[in-house]
Amino acid sequence: MNNDKDCLLVAPSVVTPPQQQTSRTRWLPSLSRARFTSLVVIVSVFAICVLVYLVPEREVHHGTVAVVTSIAPLDTSTRKTSTKIRYKHTQRRLPQCIIIGIRKAGTRALLKFLDLHPSIQTAAREIHFFDHSYELGLNWYRKRMPFSFPDQITIEKTPAYFTVKSVPKLVHRMNSTVKVLLIVRDPFERTVSDWLQLCMNQRAKNRHCTSFERKVIDPRTGEVNRSYQGIRRSIYVRHMQNWLQWFPLSQIHLVNGKTLVENPVAALKRVEQFLGLDHRITEDHFYFNKSRGFYCIQYDSTRQKCLHPSKGRKHPKIKKEVVQKLREFFRPFNHKFYQMVGQDFGWP
């Protein structure tokens, strides 16, 4: 037909051949947009949960990166968690027991020896939470504890706690039922060790070290220098009185430092009993190191470990008149301490 009005132009239909259809277009038409969105959300959440459970978590522990993995717990007889590994069913807990002191009486040895027990986990370092960092909060304190199983006891040690007046109240506020360990030593010997440690630190920095005699004796009066911190720390009865205002004596176990050195198993057996634990630390865990003059840890037939050489330093010779004056000074305080705790330690 030649008439333009009668001419009808029809555009051809565009049909996608079956072979060109994508896999998505084959199954998507059967899903509504809402159902597809829901399915994507469910799959994403599931994938995230799998990743959280399987991928190691990284966290800061004592200034180092600790890899936390989910693996089966160790055998109950030897399960000791690592500061770098988290085992399944473990978490960080506030300490149920605290070694409060006293400084230079054997707190490090006590902590290391107790760590041999499979039901005890110990903080690797002194936290100084109650005397220096309390304002950071309990959550900060908890994060510095080791991972532990629910039936294990977490122990932290900071020897300064015993002599800081504000600490007992703060510990009681955290947990009024917490158990307290206090290791004590002949006050005279402890005072010498206290001075010696500070003196060695000063010498390492090329600084002058004042002699022990000039530290403990007031040159003007010739009497014991009561203002010297080493002397004040050794008057145990004053600090113990402060702790007994907040905790009953039944919650405080005193460890004889001399017994821990000479017969560690006997001392540790009493601690195990105090903590309500089975007796698991035995003679097989120790050997006597003749060169050091005290017991060291025997992990197995090939692994042995002694405390750092700075522990158990040989004391210098002290003038007899100074020794006598100090022992006379400490004597009445020692007797009051014996009466207060119901135990005579027999210090000279």
Side-chain angles (χ1 to χ4, degrees), residues 44-190:
S44 300
V45 171
F46 178 77
I48 291 173
C49 291
V50 171
L51 287 173
V52 169
Y53 185 80
L54 295 179
V55 176
E57 172 191 349
R58 298 173 71 83
E59 67 175 44
V60 177
H61 181 67
H62 300 325
T64 61
V65 176
V67 179
V68 184
T69 57
S70 296
I71 62 177
L74 297 175
D75 181 80
T76 55
S77 63
T78 58
R79 53 182 185 162
K80 300 296 287 185
T81 66
S82 168
T83 57
K84 294 185 178 181
I85 299 178
R86 177 181 178 182
Y87 295 95
K88 191 176 181 182
H89 307 307
T90 64
Q91 65 183 47
R92 300 187 193 277
R93 295 175 174 82
L94 291 173
Q96 301 98 325
C97 177
I98 301 177
I99 300 176
I100 61 173
I102 184 172
R103 170 172 162 163
K104 306 311 298 178
T107 57
R108 173 56 59 180
L110 177 60
L111 187 75
K112 286 295 185 183
F113 292 169
L114 286 175
D115 196 44
L116 293 168
H117 201 292
S119 295
I120 290 177
Q121 289 289 0
T122 62
R125 56 180 293 189
E126 296 174 9
I127 309 299
H128 285 281
F129 173 65
F130 296 102
D131 58 337
H132 288 165
S133 306
Y134 190 74
E135 69 281 358
L136 296 177
L138 288 175
N139 193 44
W140 179 90
Y141 186 41
R142 182 188 289 107
K143 287 181 179 179
R144 275 133 191 90
M145 294 300 113
F147 289 106
S148 64
F149 292 99
D151 59 346
Q152 288 181 315
I153 295 176
T154 299
I155 299 180
E156 185 249 327
K157 116 173 150 80
T158 300
Y161 289 164
F162 181 57
T163 58
V164 178
K165 190 173 183 179
S166 61
V167 168
K169 178 181 178 180
L170 299 179
V171 174
H172 186 273
R173 183 182 297 173
M174 177 195 72
N175 181 3
S176 61
T177 64
V178 70
K179 293 190 175 183
V180 177
L181 292 175
L182 172 66
I183 180 168
V184 291
R185 179 186 182 187
D186 176 357
F188 168 75
E189 297 290 341
R190 196 220 67 83

